[in-house]
Amino acid sequence: MSALARRSGTLVAALALVALYVWAIVGLELRGVNLAERWHQAAAIFRIMVTEPEWTYLWKCGSAGCVSELGQKILETLQMALVGTTIGAVLAVPFGFLAARNVAGVRGSRAGKFILNAIRAFPEVVLALMLLKAVGLGPFAGVLTMGIHSIGMLGKLYAEVVEGIDRDVLEAMAACGANRSQAIAFGILPQVLPEFASFAIYRFEINVRAAAILGMVGAGGIGTPLIFAVNNRDWGRIGVILLGIIVVVAAVDAVSSYLRRKLV
Amino acid sequence: MSRLAPRAPDRGLFAGIPGAPTPWTRVRNLAIGALLVALYLWSAQATDFSLGRLARGVPEMGNLLIRMLPFERVDLPGGGVAWRWSNELLRQQIAFLPTVWAPLMETLRIAIVSATLGSLLAVPVALLASRNLVRYPWLYWLARGFMNLLRTIPDLVLAAVLAGAFGVGVLPGILAVTIFSFTVVAKLLSESIEAIDPGPLEAMRAVGANRLQAIAFGVVPQVLPQYIAYVLYVFEIDVRASTVLGLVGAGGIGFTLQTSLRLLNYRAAFMIILVILAVVVLIDTISSRLRERLI
Amino acid sequence: MNLTIPDGQFVVIVGLSGAGKSTLLRCINRLVEPTEGQILADGVDITRLGEAELRAWRTKVGMIFQNFNLVNRSTVLRNVLAGRLGHTGTLRSLLGLFPRSDVELALRCLERVQLRDKAFSRADQLSGGQKQRVAIARALCQEPKILLADEPVASLDPPTSHLIMQDLKRICREDGLTVLVNLHFIDLAVEYADRIIGLRAGEVVFDGPVSDVTEKTFEEIYGCSIRPDDFRGRGDR
């Protein structure tokens, strides 16, 4: 009986899965799309990106000296990520403590984590669209977006760090005659700060990618010239910009993981 | 520790203690600190960061919010503006919901198809990127490099470029999210494979199984539950990613959102954002329940 | 219960776990609030101290713990300097600007537990015995009059236990400290104590000098005859 039930259960699950795929694929309306033709078109474009990159976008020398437009925009992207991450990393600290079970109690922690999850669920680009309306086009909107959005993830990770705090140390601090702020500075902060910093650096990696995206909706950084180039079908420039993003993201990942290994 | 560093005359205090800070430690730490502060200030200035703009933005934000909700604008005789709750506008907002259905379903379809394709493509590359399975280091590094290279490109950047290359529509969306899913699953899966118990694999080789047989009987059973969990996890983030694809012309509900924002129809935009949030939270919940049961 | 402890005595409190040893010790610096009764030190009732007075009292009472309670990620020196927190202004200590005399004192305390050369190691790089010696240095750095030790050797192996107890006894003799140690090992208690107090279920069942202790005393404290488990065993020294 149980074997039969298990088998029929598996069968039902399999049928449901097949139905789901049929629904998903048939509904996608790809029938009108000539895949071969599209592929040829795209392949031609990729060829241009690789073989005719617009190197002058990377480095151009004129009468007024040499400029790197790509470099400037990439630098702006990194600066956005740096400021945005810092804001988020600092604002996440109170959230982290308030969402920790050993600080806020079970109920407070649940409420805090709910808020943090809500922030995380909000797609970053959508948040950027709203902030753009409020503070206008430019990198500032991007910085705010990353600052707010980072709170969601960092707050949650911080809360887990706080929940792992060794509280016996506080007893020792009290026994030394330390007051509350001294006990926190000597007993708690050394325990949590390295891990907070490590998570913030990790978030910086994510925010560099986010900063590259946010420009595409007008929030500053390398995304803005990228989306212009896409709209102008400027494939040579797109090739150079993509190369720039790949190199910088890879470099940031490498530096960040080195720093994190050193910290904890 | 930097704060414990002594001024120069104190040097004798720590004489002979390994690791003791020298006056240079203090100088070096101060220099690093000053450099960091300068970097922040420079970056803040370059990104137009200003509290004044933030303060001016807050009422703007409130203004935007009220135009997203069913409030009717009333021009006061004195020249001021007031906002009044309107049931009619609320009805309109609710009546707008059904038009979101089709693009929402498209979003989910993109996520389902892409998560599946990406996860399938990830399997061979993950096998090649596992140190314990691959005999040739160059092959391992090639697979690993390919994976890491694709991983550096942000998902929406990829979608925008593909939308340019393949033409606007769901096709570039599916491709972009497929590649994104591929990078996520390939990385997680290769890490799982590298962490397997080598015993069964050796046993398979010992009984004379060929490579594929050895993988099928020595590796697959060990990583299958984790693999399924990764597929669910990547589906979860794919739903999130798919909701915004439309902003760069790659299909899904994001396109509807962008249209209503461009038409300054904030009440419609609000409903779309609500739907996006609801779907993301719902899928997250279902998927994490399923994953918990798996592992 | 009613106990009087003269200055400079090395008192060991023995009893089963749950007998109230920890509570007794923690009432003295009020890490546990006594529900009733009085604790008098030089004629002052500890239980009635206000917050600032309590902190001042705690600076005179050093304490060491079973699990050392060090901040693992901080340096040894910083852990020892924590003992000066009660003597240092809040702002000054938050900035880490301890007076030079405090840093010298901390190093001297470390020297007394033979750990001066570890001053700049992180606490989590030390062995268990070294950690407990750092904790002793932290307590000494308070320049206390009384030292409380709550199961100081329960997390250590037998030879290290003896080393720690010897250090503790030597240092307290040198400084003339009053010491209260909780132990549940009989042999350690007999070897190091001036006076033994036996607790059972919150009541004093024995109180007297080591010379008065017989096997029967322990049967009273532990409620059964002594088993080999109740001995720590000799360290090789």
Side-chain angles (χ1 to χ4, degrees):
Chain A
M1 151 65 202
S2 75
L4 189 69
R6 213 176 316 126
R7 272 210 181 166
S8 52
T10 316
L11 194 67
V12 169
L15 281 176
L17 203 60
V18 169
L20 186 69
Y21 278 119
V22 170
W23 170 81
I25 295 166
V26 170
L28 269 176
E29 292 173 24
L30 280 171
R31 269 163 304 169
V33 180
N34 186 335
L35 284 178
E37 186 192 303
R38 291 280 189 101
W39 173 249
H40 277 297
Q41 171 200 329
I45 287 167
F46 292 141
R47 206 170 305 125
I48 298 175
M49 276 166 54
V50 178
T51 58
E52 303 166 33
E54 188 190 333
W55 291 120
T56 53
Y57 190 71
L58 174 66
W59 192 252
K60 186 166 64 187
C61 284
S63 53
C66 294
V67 285
S68 167
E69 283 181 69
L70 180 74
Q72 284 170 2
K73 281 295 173 186
I74 294 256
L75 182 64
E76 185 179 275
T77 311
L78 290 175
Q79 288 174 320
M80 282 167 62
L82 181 67
V83 180
T85 308
T86 312
I87 296 174
V90 172
L91 291 181
V93 172
F95 279 91
F97 276 94
L98 290 177
R101 219 173 306 124
N102 49 354
V103 177
V106 174
R107 267 206 205 150
S109 156
R110 209 169 282 164
K113 282 185 181 149
F114 178 79
I115 294 172
L116 294 173
N117 279 334
I119 297 176
R120 259 154 33 101
F122 214 94
E124 205 158 20
V125 191
V126 175
L127 185 62
L129 285 173
M130 297 175 66
L131 287 170
L132 279 166
K133 299 271 175 198
V135 299
L137 289 177
F140 185 49
V143 167
L144 285 184
T145 306
M146 283 182 281
I148 296 172
H149 203 258
S150 306
I151 295 173
M153 183 186 103
L154 289 180
K156 193 166 173 234
L157 292 172
Y158 285 5
E160 280 162 21
V161 174
V162 173
E163 280 169 7
I165 281 179
D166 170 15
R167 283 171 81 94
D168 290 347
V169 170
L170 287 181
E171 194 181 31
M173 294 292 151
C176 292
N179 61 32
R180 230 184 134 61
S181 42
Q182 286 175 328
I184 290 172
F186 278 75
I188 301 283
L189 291 189
Q191 292 191 52
V192 298
L193 279 188
E195 288 188 59
F196 282 9
S198 165
F199 284 132
I201 293 174
Y202 175 58
R203 182 69 204 193
F204 177 69
E205 277 180 52
I206 299 178
N207 277 347
V208 170
R209 288 176 169 84
I213 286 174
L214 291 177
M216 296 197 297
V217 294
I222 188 69
T224 310
L226 176 70
I227 201 78
F228 284 154
V230 170
N231 291 338
N232 295 332
R233 318 193 71 70
D234 209 344
W235 305 115
R237 179 171 293 190
I238 295 173
V240 174
I241 293 177
L242 276 183
L243 182 67
I245 293 177
I246 290 172
V247 169
V248 169
V249 171
V252 166
D253 283 7
V255 173
S256 148
S257 61
Y258 167 76
L259 282 179
R260 282 190 285 136
R261 243 177 296 129
K262 259 189 94 172
L263 257 175
V264 181
Chain B
M1 215 170 78
S2 67
R3 304 188 202 107
L4 290 175
R7 284 161 291 270
D10 287 9
R11 223 178 153 180
L13 194 60
F14 298 136
I17 305 179
T22 64
W24 283 111
T25 323
R26 194 187 178 86
V27 172
R28 194 198 62 191
N29 290 347
L30 278 177
I32 292 176
L35 211 70
L36 270 179
V37 170
L39 188 64
Y40 278 125
L41 291 179
W42 178 49
S43 299
Q45 187 257 332
T47 52
D48 302 335
F49 189 87
S50 96
L51 291 175
R53 255 182 96 185
L54 183 61
R56 262 171 284 140
V58 170
E60 278 298 318
M61 199 72 211
N63 196 12
L64 178 68
L65 218 59
I66 209 156
R67 281 187 288 166
M68 290 182 140
L69 299 171
F71 284 97
E72 200 171 16
R73 191 189 157 110
V74 185
D75 290 308
L76 297 175
V81 173
W83 297 90
R84 193 173 54 204
W85 177 268
S86 155
N87 284 329
E88 172 56 27
L89 287 179
L90 181 66
R91 252 193 301 279
Q92 279 177 23
Q93 265 185 310
I94 293 170
F96 176 77
L97 272 181
T99 55
V100 182
W101 183 254
L104 178 66
M105 290 303 113
E106 185 172 88
T107 303
L108 288 181
R109 286 178 167 120
I110 294 175
I112 291 172
V113 171
S114 309
T116 312
L117 285 179
S119 307
L120 290 177
L121 291 173
V123 174
V125 179
L127 289 172
L128 292 179
S130 303
R131 211 188 290 262
N132 50 348
L133 295 186
V134 180
R135 222 174 304 161
Y136 315 102
W138 63 267
L139 190 60
Y140 164 79
W141 285 112
L142 191 75
R144 190 131 278 228
F146 178 65
M147 233 165 64
N148 287 337
L149 180 80
L150 280 182
R151 242 166 57 79
T152 57
I153 308 176
D155 50 352
L156 213 56
V157 165
L158 197 62
V161 173
L162 292 177
F166 285 89
V168 168
V170 287
L171 182 61
I174 293 174
L175 290 177
V177 184
T178 299
I179 294 175
F180 174 64
S181 319
F182 160 80
T183 60
V184 174
V185 177
K187 178 156 190 285
L188 291 171
L189 184 59
S190 69
E191 280 165 8
S192 293
I193 295 176
E194 288 191 334
I196 61 166
D197 171 15
L201 196 60
E202 269 168 33
M204 283 303 131
R205 292 205 177 126
V207 297
N210 66 31
R211 289 197 86 65
L212 279 180
Q213 288 168 328
I215 288 171
F217 292 90
V219 179
V220 171
Q222 290 194 59
V223 296
L224 192 62
Q226 290 168 51
Y227 176 67
I228 296 172
Y230 297 152
V231 175
L232 283 170
Y233 168 69
V234 84
F235 170 62
E236 210 176 299
I237 36 182
D238 280 355
V239 170
R240 221 172 281 202
S242 305
T243 55
V244 291
L245 286 173
L247 297 173
V248 295
I253 196 168
F255 182 68
T256 323
L257 175 64
Q258 200 185 34
T259 312
S260 47
L261 281 174
R262 285 208 171 139
L263 297 172
L264 304 184
N265 188 353
Y266 293 115
R267 282 187 285 274
F270 180 71
M271 296 313 279
I272 297 169
I273 292 173
L274 271 191
V275 168
I276 290 178
L277 277 183
V279 169
V280 168
V281 171
L282 186 73
I283 299 282
D284 271 15
T285 316
I286 296 175
S287 159
S288 52
R289 287 269 159 79
L290 283 176
R291 277 191 286 139
E292 266 165 36
R293 269 215 248 161
L294 269 170
I295 306 182
Chain C
M1 70 174 69
N2 197 348
L3 291 170
T4 307
I5 296 167
D7 284 347
Q9 201 169 42
F10 197 105
V11 182
V12 172
I13 303 162
V14 289
L16 291 168
S17 50
K21 294 175 299 188
S22 277
T23 311
L24 173 62
L25 227 57
R26 281 172 165 74
C27 280
I28 293 170
N29 59 2
R30 273 180 53 198
L31 287 177
V32 169
E33 291 290 344
T35 46
E36 54 180 13
Q38 282 187 316
I39 300 168
L40 297 174
D42 297 333
V44 180
D45 186 358
I46 305 303
T47 59
R48 292 172 184 274
L49 295 180
E51 209 171 314
E53 294 163 312
L54 174 61
R55 277 205 299 276
W57 163 246
R58 280 175 176 171
T59 62
K60 294 183 205 159
V61 184
M63 186 159 188
I64 59 180
F65 303 85
Q66 174 177 353
N67 296 315
F68 326 130
N69 295 5
L70 299 179
V71 182
N72 279 329
R73 279 216 179 96
S74 292
T75 59
V76 166
L77 182 60
R78 202 173 159 80
N79 269 294
V80 176
L81 276 169
R84 298 306 296 168
L85 285 176
H87 300 270
T88 317
T90 304
L91 189 65
R92 211 179 160 139
S93 60
L94 292 194
L95 292 173
L97 298 170
F98 289 94
R100 186 190 155 99
S101 57
D102 282 2
V103 181
E104 281 169 354
L105 173 62
L107 287 172
R108 266 203 312 281
C109 294
L110 276 172
E111 206 158 354
R112 294 181 75 186
V113 293
Q114 300 98 40
L115 283 174
R116 186 171 187 271
D117 57 334
K118 295 284 183 192
F120 292 97
S121 306
R122 264 169 55 153
D124 53 6
Q125 288 165 349
L126 303 181
S127 69
Q130 287 175 326
K131 283 183 183 173
Q132 194 58 294
R133 272 149 57 198
V134 172
I136 293 173
R138 175 172 66 188
L140 287 179
C141 200
Q142 289 176 232
E143 298 185 299
K145 287 185 178 153
I146 300 173
L147 193 67
L148 309 174
D150 186 24
E151 300 280 5
V153 296
S155 307
L156 302 172
D157 56 79
T160 315
S161 299
H162 279 281
L163 288 178
I164 292 292
M165 288 306 293
Q166 281 160 11
D167 274 358
L168 205 57
K169 179 124 190 188
R170 170 179 56 80
I171 289 168
C172 294
R173 271 285 127 76
E174 285 167 10
D175 293 9
L177 299 181
T178 310
V179 186
L180 278 84
V181 187
N182 280 346
L183 289 175
H184 67 258
F185 293 112
I186 295 157
D187 50 349
L188 284 175
V190 174
E191 191 164 343
Y192 296 101
D194 297 334
R195 168 184 174 190
I196 286 181
I197 296 172
L199 282 191
R200 188 174 166 192
E203 298 294 331
V204 176
V205 292
F206 175 84
D207 184 358
V210 174
S211 51
D212 289 0
V213 172
T214 61
E215 198 157 308
K216 191 160 177 307
T217 323
F218 286 112
E219 274 173 35
E220 245 168 77
I221 296 171
Y222 290 91
C224 63
S225 43
I226 306 162
R227 289 161 294 135
D229 297 4
D230 297 324
F231 291 95
R232 188 47 144 169
R234 263 229 67 94
D236 303 311
R237 198 172 109 177

